[in-house]
Amino acid sequence: MNRRIFANLILYDIRKGFRENKIKWLVGVFIFVFFSFITVSDFSVNSPELGFLAYFTNILQGMPPYIKTDDSVFTIPVSWFLFYAFLFFMVGFYPLSDLYGAGKKTLILSGSRFKWLWSKYIWTLINVIMYYAAMILVLAAVTCAIGKWSTKPDDMLMEMGIDMQRFSTGNEVIVWLILPMLCACTIAVVQLTISIFAGAIAGYIVSIVYLVVSVYWVSPFLMGNYLMIIRNNRLCAGGMDAAAGIISCIIVMVVSIVLGSVYFNRKNIL
């Protein structure tokens, strides 16, 4: 019975969360189409030998470590920043809005604050994964329509300065997809925990500031660095280690969920 209640809570959140976020999803898909079309069109003209992997890298690579000099200019990588800023905007408001709306009823019916909150954490993780999947599907569709699918390692090195010979297929998947997605899940979970303490707007502001600071400073304590493909230590000197990033993400996620659960269980809600 307890498992069935928990499963029903998750299904409830998936359905209700999607209904409340359907406009955000449409905007997100528009963003994916826009950046995919711009990227594929530009590469088709300037670097026609490059394909899907190069397109994906160009959109979500971030930027190399910022080095402050007298004439340096600090800039935010637009496609990378917008991708993640909108992601955290999309997942950051439903859990709290549900809590102070119809969610009070489901909280009472569930009989457990822990189950109710963990359902929201799982909803957050599912949405992050779906967001990445939607981006990949849109980029793949645009690639099939107007671009080139295959990307040769020699072309990646010549055109983008990325030596793919350093990566096995498994390492490529980890650096290009698994690590950034896991890091995004972690930041989204932390954002939800902060929202429980201080409100959804505060949680979102912290996430955005965290992204900007991560672009400015290279540090393992700034997990936004793991969101940037180009800052992997195999691609730039002094970059981030993938194994350390995965371990850090798991630890931070678990600690955040525990802290959020303990506080939420004691919080005066009803």
Side-chain angles (χ1 to χ4, degrees), residues 208-253:
I208 294 302
V209 172
Y210 192 69
L211 286 180
V212 174
V213 174
S214 295
V215 175
Y216 191 85
W217 279 298
V218 178
S219 169
F221 297 104
L222 296 172
M223 299 182 69
N225 283 279
Y226 295 115
L227 293 175
M228 291 181 268
I229 298 169
I230 202 67
R231 290 198 182 177
N232 182 267
N233 59 4
R234 296 192 182 190
L235 298 177
C236 74
M240 314 306 292
D241 180 72
I246 291 173
I247 295 172
S248 298
C249 286
I250 294 173
I251 292 173
V252 171
M253 191 182 302

CSV table of all heavy atoms in Angstrom, one decimal, residues 208-253:
chain,number,residue,atom,x,y,z
A,208,ILE,N,20.9,30.9,-10.6
A,208,ILE,CA,21.4,31.8,-11.6
A,208,ILE,C,22.8,32.4,-11.2
A,208,ILE,O,23.7,32.4,-12.0
A,208,ILE,CB,20.4,32.9,-12.0
A,208,ILE,CG1,19.1,32.2,-12.6
A,208,ILE,CG2,21.0,33.9,-12.9
A,208,ILE,CD1,19.4,31.4,-13.8
A,209,VAL,N,22.8,32.9,-10.0
A,209,VAL,CA,24.1,33.5,-9.5
A,209,VAL,C,25.2,32.4,-9.5
A,209,VAL,O,26.3,32.7,-9.9
A,209,VAL,CB,23.9,34.1,-8.1
A,209,VAL,CG1,25.3,34.5,-7.6
A,209,VAL,CG2,22.9,35.3,-8.2
A,210,TYR,N,24.8,31.2,-9.1
A,210,TYR,CA,25.8,30.1,-9.1
A,210,TYR,C,26.3,29.8,-10.5
A,210,TYR,O,27.5,29.6,-10.7
A,210,TYR,CB,25.1,28.9,-8.5
A,210,TYR,CG,26.0,27.8,-8.1
A,210,TYR,CD1,26.9,27.9,-7.1
A,210,TYR,CD2,26.0,26.6,-8.8
A,210,TYR,CE1,27.7,26.9,-6.7
A,210,TYR,CE2,26.8,25.5,-8.5
A,210,TYR,CZ,27.7,25.7,-7.4
A,210,TYR,OH,28.5,24.6,-7.0
A,211,LEU,N,25.5,29.9,-11.5
A,211,LEU,CA,25.9,29.6,-12.9
A,211,LEU,C,26.9,30.7,-13.3
A,211,LEU,O,28.0,30.4,-13.9
A,211,LEU,CB,24.7,29.6,-13.8
A,211,LEU,CG,23.8,28.4,-13.8
A,211,LEU,CD1,22.7,28.6,-14.8
A,211,LEU,CD2,24.6,27.2,-14.2
A,212,VAL,N,26.6,32.0,-13.0
A,212,VAL,CA,27.4,33.1,-13.5
A,212,VAL,C,28.8,33.0,-12.8
A,212,VAL,O,29.8,33.2,-13.4
A,212,VAL,CB,26.8,34.4,-13.2
A,212,VAL,CG1,27.7,35.6,-13.5
A,212,VAL,CG2,25.5,34.6,-14.0
A,213,VAL,N,28.8,32.7,-11.5
A,213,VAL,CA,30.0,32.6,-10.7
A,213,VAL,C,30.9,31.5,-11.2
A,213,VAL,O,32.1,31.6,-11.3
A,213,VAL,CB,29.7,32.5,-9.2
A,213,VAL,CG1,31.0,32.3,-8.4
A,213,VAL,CG2,29.1,33.8,-8.7
A,214,SER,N,30.2,30.4,-11.6
A,214,SER,CA,30.9,29.2,-12.1
A,214,SER,C,31.6,29.5,-13.4
A,214,SER,O,32.7,29.0,-13.7
A,214,SER,CB,30.0,28.0,-12.3
A,214,SER,OG,29.4,27.6,-11.1
A,215,VAL,N,31.0,30.4,-14.2
A,215,VAL,CA,31.7,30.8,-15.5
A,215,VAL,C,32.9,31.6,-15.2
A,215,VAL,O,34.0,31.5,-15.8
A,215,VAL,CB,30.7,31.6,-16.4
A,215,VAL,CG1,31.4,32.1,-17.6
A,215,VAL,CG2,29.5,30.7,-16.8
A,216,TYR,N,32.8,32.5,-14.2
A,216,TYR,CA,33.9,33.4,-13.8
A,216,TYR,C,35.1,32.6,-13.2
A,216,TYR,O,36.3,32.9,-13.5
A,216,TYR,CB,33.4,34.5,-12.9
A,216,TYR,CG,34.4,35.6,-12.7
A,216,TYR,CD1,34.4,36.7,-13.6
A,216,TYR,CD2,35.2,35.6,-11.6
A,216,TYR,CE1,35.3,37.7,-13.4
A,216,TYR,CE2,36.1,36.7,-11.4
A,216,TYR,CZ,36.1,37.7,-12.3
A,216,TYR,OH,37.0,38.8,-12.2
A,217,TRP,N,34.8,31.7,-12.3
A,217,TRP,CA,35.9,31.0,-11.5
A,217,TRP,C,35.9,29.5,-11.8
A,217,TRP,O,34.8,28.9,-11.9
A,217,TRP,CB,35.7,31.2,-10.0
A,217,TRP,CG,36.3,32.5,-9.5
A,217,TRP,CD1,37.5,33.0,-9.5
A,217,TRP,CD2,35.5,33.5,-8.8
A,217,TRP,NE1,37.6,34.2,-8.9
A,217,TRP,CE2,36.4,34.6,-8.5
A,217,TRP,CE3,34.2,33.6,-8.5
A,217,TRP,CZ2,36.0,35.7,-7.8
A,217,TRP,CZ3,33.7,34.8,-7.8
A,217,TRP,CH2,34.6,35.8,-7.5
A,218,VAL,N,37.1,29.0,-12.0
A,218,VAL,CA,37.2,27.5,-12.1
A,218,VAL,C,37.5,26.9,-10.8
A,218,VAL,O,38.5,27.2,-10.2
A,218,VAL,CB,38.3,27.1,-13.1
A,218,VAL,CG1,38.5,25.6,-13.2
A,218,VAL,CG2,38.0,27.7,-14.5
A,219,SER,N,36.6,26.1,-10.3
A,219,SER,CA,36.8,25.5,-8.9
A,219,SER,C,35.9,24.3,-8.8
A,219,SER,O,34.7,24.3,-9.3
A,219,SER,CB,36.4,26.5,-7.8
A,219,SER,OG,36.3,25.9,-6.6
A,220,PRO,N,36.4,23.2,-8.2
A,220,PRO,CA,35.5,22.0,-8.0
A,220,PRO,C,34.4,22.3,-7.1
A,220,PRO,O,33.4,21.5,-7.0
A,220,PRO,CB,36.5,21.0,-7.4
A,220,PRO,CG,37.6,21.8,-6.8
A,220,PRO,CD,37.7,23.0,-7.7
A,221,PHE,N,34.4,23.4,-6.3
A,221,PHE,CA,33.3,23.8,-5.4
A,221,PHE,C,32.2,24.5,-6.2
A,221,PHE,O,31.1,24.7,-5.6
A,221,PHE,CB,33.8,24.6,-4.3
A,221,PHE,CG,34.8,23.9,-3.4
A,221,PHE,CD1,36.2,24.2,-3.4
A,221,PHE,CD2,34.4,23.0,-2.5
A,221,PHE,CE1,37.1,23.5,-2.6
A,221,PHE,CE2,35.3,22.3,-1.7
A,221,PHE,CZ,36.6,22.6,-1.8
A,222,LEU,N,32.5,24.9,-7.4
A,222,LEU,CA,31.5,25.6,-8.2
A,222,LEU,C,31.1,24.6,-9.3
A,222,LEU,O,31.7,24.4,-10.3
A,222,LEU,CB,32.1,26.8,-8.9
A,222,LEU,CG,32.4,27.9,-7.9
A,222,LEU,CD1,33.2,29.1,-8.6
A,222,LEU,CD2,31.2,28.5,-7.2
A,223,MET,N,30.0,23.8,-9.0
A,223,MET,CA,29.6,22.7,-9.8
A,223,MET,C,29.2,23.1,-11.2
A,223,MET,O,29.1,22.2,-12.1
A,223,MET,CB,28.6,21.9,-9.1
A,223,MET,CG,29.0,21.3,-7.8
A,223,MET,SD,27.8,20.3,-7.0
A,223,MET,CE,27.8,18.9,-8.1
A,224,GLY,N,28.9,24.3,-11.4
A,224,GLY,CA,28.6,24.8,-12.8
A,224,GLY,C,29.7,24.5,-13.8
A,224,GLY,O,29.4,24.4,-15.0
A,225,ASN,N,30.9,24.4,-13.3
A,225,ASN,CA,32.0,24.1,-14.1
A,225,ASN,C,31.9,22.7,-14.8
A,225,ASN,O,32.3,22.5,-15.9
A,225,ASN,CB,33.4,24.2,-13.4
A,225,ASN,CG,33.8,25.6,-13.1
A,225,ASN,OD1,34.4,26.2,-14.0
A,225,ASN,ND2,33.6,26.1,-11.9
A,226,TYR,N,31.2,21.8,-14.1
A,226,TYR,CA,31.0,20.5,-14.6
A,226,TYR,C,29.9,20.5,-15.7
A,226,TYR,O,29.8,19.5,-16.5
A,226,TYR,CB,30.6,19.5,-13.5
A,226,TYR,CG,31.7,19.2,-12.5
A,226,TYR,CD1,31.5,19.6,-11.2
A,226,TYR,CD2,32.8,18.6,-12.8
A,226,TYR,CE1,32.5,19.4,-10.2
A,226,TYR,CE2,33.8,18.4,-11.9
A,226,TYR,CZ,33.6,18.8,-10.6
A,226,TYR,OH,34.6,18.6,-9.6
A,227,LEU,N,29.2,21.5,-15.8
A,227,LEU,CA,28.2,21.7,-16.8
A,227,LEU,C,28.8,22.1,-18.2
A,227,LEU,O,28.2,22.0,-19.2
A,227,LEU,CB,27.1,22.7,-16.5
A,227,LEU,CG,26.2,22.5,-15.3
A,227,LEU,CD1,25.3,23.7,-15.0
A,227,LEU,CD2,25.3,21.3,-15.5
A,228,MET,N,30.1,22.5,-18.1
A,228,MET,CA,30.7,23.0,-19.4
A,228,MET,C,31.7,21.9,-19.9
A,228,MET,O,32.7,21.6,-19.3
A,228,MET,CB,31.5,24.3,-19.1
A,228,MET,CG,30.6,25.5,-18.8
A,228,MET,SD,31.4,27.0,-18.4
A,228,MET,CE,31.6,26.9,-16.7
A,229,ILE,N,31.3,21.4,-21.1
A,229,ILE,CA,32.1,20.4,-21.7
A,229,ILE,C,33.6,20.8,-21.9
A,229,ILE,O,34.5,20.0,-21.6
A,229,ILE,CB,31.5,20.0,-23.1
A,229,ILE,CG1,30.1,19.5,-22.9
A,229,ILE,CG2,32.4,19.0,-23.8
A,229,ILE,CD1,29.3,19.3,-24.2
A,230,ILE,N,33.8,22.0,-22.3
A,230,ILE,CA,35.1,22.5,-22.6
A,230,ILE,C,36.0,22.6,-21.4
A,230,ILE,O,37.2,22.7,-21.5
A,230,ILE,CB,35.0,23.9,-23.4
A,230,ILE,CG1,36.3,24.1,-24.2
A,230,ILE,CG2,34.8,25.0,-22.4
A,230,ILE,CD1,36.4,23.2,-25.4
A,231,ARG,N,35.4,22.5,-20.2
A,231,ARG,CA,36.3,22.6,-19.0
A,231,ARG,C,36.6,21.3,-18.4
A,231,ARG,O,37.1,21.2,-17.3
A,231,ARG,CB,35.6,23.5,-17.9
A,231,ARG,CG,35.5,25.0,-18.4
A,231,ARG,CD,35.2,25.9,-17.2
A,231,ARG,NE,35.1,27.3,-17.7
A,231,ARG,CZ,34.8,28.3,-16.9
A,231,ARG,NH1,34.6,28.1,-15.6
A,231,ARG,NH2,34.8,29.5,-17.4
A,232,ASN,N,36.4,20.2,-19.1
A,232,ASN,CA,36.9,18.9,-18.7
A,232,ASN,C,38.5,18.9,-18.7
A,232,ASN,O,39.1,19.6,-19.6
A,232,ASN,CB,36.4,17.8,-19.6
A,232,ASN,CG,36.8,16.4,-19.2
A,232,ASN,OD1,37.9,15.9,-19.7
A,232,ASN,ND2,36.1,15.8,-18.3
A,233,ASN,N,39.1,18.3,-17.8
A,233,ASN,CA,40.6,18.4,-17.7
A,233,ASN,C,41.3,17.7,-18.9
A,233,ASN,O,42.5,17.9,-19.1
A,233,ASN,CB,41.1,17.8,-16.4
A,233,ASN,CG,40.7,16.3,-16.2
A,233,ASN,OD1,40.1,15.7,-17.0
A,233,ASN,ND2,41.0,15.8,-15.0
A,234,ARG,N,40.5,16.9,-19.7
A,234,ARG,CA,41.2,16.4,-20.9
A,234,ARG,C,41.1,17.4,-22.1
A,234,ARG,O,41.7,17.1,-23.1
A,234,ARG,CB,40.5,15.1,-21.3
A,234,ARG,CG,40.6,14.0,-20.3
A,234,ARG,CD,40.2,12.6,-20.9
A,234,ARG,NE,40.3,11.6,-19.9
A,234,ARG,CZ,40.1,10.3,-20.2
A,234,ARG,NH1,39.9,9.9,-21.4
A,234,ARG,NH2,40.2,9.4,-19.3
A,235,LEU,N,40.3,18.4,-21.9
A,235,LEU,CA,40.2,19.4,-22.9
A,235,LEU,C,40.9,20.7,-22.6
A,235,LEU,O,41.1,21.5,-23.5
A,235,LEU,CB,38.7,19.7,-23.2
A,235,LEU,CG,37.9,18.4,-23.7
A,235,LEU,CD1,36.5,18.8,-23.9
A,235,LEU,CD2,38.5,17.9,-25.0
A,236,CYS,N,41.1,21.0,-21.3
A,236,CYS,CA,41.8,22.2,-21.0
A,236,CYS,C,42.7,22.0,-19.7
A,236,CYS,O,42.3,21.2,-18.9
A,236,CYS,CB,40.9,23.4,-20.8
A,236,CYS,SG,39.9,23.3,-19.3
A,237,ALA,N,43.8,22.7,-19.7
A,237,ALA,CA,44.7,22.6,-18.5
A,237,ALA,C,44.0,23.1,-17.3
A,237,ALA,O,43.4,24.2,-17.3
A,237,ALA,CB,46.0,23.3,-18.8
A,238,GLY,N,44.1,22.4,-16.2
A,238,GLY,CA,43.5,22.8,-15.0
A,238,GLY,C,42.0,22.6,-14.9
A,238,GLY,O,41.3,23.3,-14.1
A,239,GLY,N,41.5,21.8,-15.9
A,239,GLY,CA,40.0,21.6,-15.9
A,239,GLY,C,39.5,20.7,-14.9
A,239,GLY,O,40.2,20.2,-14.0
A,240,MET,N,38.2,20.3,-15.0
A,240,MET,CA,37.5,19.5,-14.0
A,240,MET,C,37.7,18.0,-14.3
A,240,MET,O,37.6,17.6,-15.5
A,240,MET,CB,36.1,19.9,-14.0
A,240,MET,CG,35.8,21.4,-13.9
A,240,MET,SD,36.7,22.3,-12.6
A,240,MET,CE,35.9,21.6,-11.2
A,241,ASP,N,37.8,17.2,-13.3
A,241,ASP,CA,37.9,15.8,-13.4
A,241,ASP,C,36.5,15.2,-13.4
A,241,ASP,O,35.8,15.4,-12.5
A,241,ASP,CB,38.8,15.2,-12.3
A,241,ASP,CG,38.9,13.7,-12.4
A,241,ASP,OD1,39.6,13.2,-13.3
A,241,ASP,OD2,38.3,13.0,-11.6
A,242,ALA,N,36.2,14.3,-14.4
A,242,ALA,CA,34.9,13.8,-14.5
A,242,ALA,C,34.5,12.9,-13.3
A,242,ALA,O,33.4,13.0,-12.8
A,242,ALA,CB,34.7,13.0,-15.8
A,243,ALA,N,35.4,12.0,-12.9
A,243,ALA,CA,35.2,11.1,-11.8
A,243,ALA,C,34.9,11.9,-10.5
A,243,ALA,O,33.9,11.6,-9.8
A,243,ALA,CB,36.3,10.2,-11.6
A,244,ALA,N,35.7,12.9,-10.3
A,244,ALA,CA,35.5,13.7,-9.1
A,244,ALA,C,34.2,14.4,-9.1
A,244,ALA,O,33.5,14.6,-8.1
A,244,ALA,CB,36.6,14.7,-8.9
A,245,GLY,N,33.8,14.9,-10.3
A,245,GLY,CA,32.5,15.6,-10.5
A,245,GLY,C,31.3,14.7,-10.2
A,245,GLY,O,30.4,15.1,-9.6
A,246,ILE,N,31.4,13.4,-10.7
A,246,ILE,CA,30.3,12.5,-10.5
A,246,ILE,C,30.1,12.2,-9.0
A,246,ILE,O,29.0,12.2,-8.5
A,246,ILE,CB,30.5,11.2,-11.3
A,246,ILE,CG1,30.4,11.5,-12.8
A,246,ILE,CG2,29.5,10.1,-10.8
A,246,ILE,CD1,30.7,10.3,-13.7
A,247,ILE,N,31.2,12.0,-8.3
A,247,ILE,CA,31.2,11.7,-6.9
A,247,ILE,C,30.7,12.9,-6.1
A,247,ILE,O,29.8,12.8,-5.2
A,247,ILE,CB,32.6,11.3,-6.4
A,247,ILE,CG1,33.0,10.0,-7.0
A,247,ILE,CG2,32.6,11.2,-4.8
A,247,ILE,CD1,34.5,9.6,-6.7
A,248,SER,N,31.1,14.1,-6.5
A,248,SER,CA,30.7,15.3,-5.8
A,248,SER,C,29.2,15.5,-6.0
A,248,SER,O,28.5,15.9,-5.0
A,248,SER,CB,31.5,16.5,-6.4
A,248,SER,OG,32.8,16.4,-6.1
A,249,CYS,N,28.7,15.3,-7.2
A,249,CYS,CA,27.3,15.5,-7.5
A,249,CYS,C,26.4,14.5,-6.6
A,249,CYS,O,25.4,15.0,-6.1
A,249,CYS,CB,27.0,15.2,-9.0
A,249,CYS,SG,27.6,16.6,-10.1
A,250,ILE,N,26.8,13.3,-6.6
A,250,ILE,CA,26.1,12.3,-5.8
A,250,ILE,C,26.0,12.7,-4.3
A,250,ILE,O,25.0,12.7,-3.7
A,250,ILE,CB,26.6,10.9,-6.0
A,250,ILE,CG1,26.4,10.4,-7.4
A,250,ILE,CG2,26.0,9.9,-5.0
A,250,ILE,CD1,27.1,9.1,-7.8
A,251,ILE,N,27.2,13.1,-3.8
A,251,ILE,CA,27.3,13.5,-2.4
A,251,ILE,C,26.4,14.7,-2.1
A,251,ILE,O,25.6,14.7,-1.1
A,251,ILE,CB,28.7,13.7,-1.9
A,251,ILE,CG1,29.5,12.4,-2.0
A,251,ILE,CG2,28.8,14.4,-0.5
A,251,ILE,CD1,31.0,12.6,-1.7
A,252,VAL,N,26.5,15.7,-2.9
A,252,VAL,CA,25.8,17.0,-2.7
A,252,VAL,C,24.3,16.7,-2.8
A,252,VAL,O,23.5,17.2,-2.1
A,252,VAL,CB,26.2,18.1,-3.7
A,252,VAL,CG1,25.3,19.3,-3.6
A,252,VAL,CG2,27.7,18.5,-3.4
A,253,MET,N,23.9,15.9,-3.8
A,253,MET,CA,22.5,15.6,-4.0
A,253,MET,C,21.9,14.9,-2.8
A,253,MET,O,20.8,15.2,-2.3
A,253,MET,CB,22.3,14.7,-5.3
A,253,MET,CG,20.9,14.6,-5.7
A,253,MET,SD,20.6,13.5,-7.1
A,253,MET,CE,21.7,14.3,-8.3
